[in-house]
Amino acid sequence: MKFVADLHIHSKYSRATSKEMNLESLDKWAKIKGIKVMGTGDFTHPAWFRELKAQLEPAEPGLYKFKNGTSETRFLLTAEIS
């Protein structure tokens, strides 16, 4: 199966990153750009991880979707090693 993914992003908790980098905004822009799988970026940040846990639920193996949502966007937990 072919799909478009963006796995190198940063959350709103990263320095010099827009405060609009939230799940809703990521979903909106994924739809506009035809992206089916979005990385979460920075999932080890405690505040961001709480948001992810509150808003997402398991979908396919290793992927997450909005709880009770209709969006087809899937999220993959990602982080960057520095």
Side-chain angles (χ1 to χ4, degrees):
M1 171 173 73
K2 287 186 176 184
F3 59 87
V4 177
D6 185 350
L7 303 178
H8 188 159
I9 69 158
H10 292 282
S11 72
K12 63 185 178 182
Y13 296 100
S14 200
R15 287 186 302 171
T17 302
S18 170
K19 297 302 176 198
E20 296 298 316
M21 290 295 283
N22 55 50
L23 290 171
E24 293 81 9
S25 187
L26 292 173
D27 178 50
K28 171 188 166 187
W29 284 100
K31 289 176 188 170
I32 291 169
K33 294 182 176 191
I35 297 170
K36 298 297 180 197
V37 178
M38 288 293 303
T40 60
D42 313 317
F43 88 92
T44 58
H45 188 284
W48 185 231
F49 190 64
R50 280 191 297 275
E51 288 185 43
L52 296 172
K53 282 176 63 174
Q55 295 181 49
L56 299 177
E57 65 183 4
E60 296 77 27
L63 299 175
Y64 296 84
K65 64 180 182 175
F66 279 108
K67 289 182 178 177
N68 303 317
T70 60
S71 175
E72 294 183 17
T73 303
R74 296 298 186 254
F75 294 92
L76 177 68
L77 299 180
T78 59
E80 184 173 53
I81 297 173
S82 59

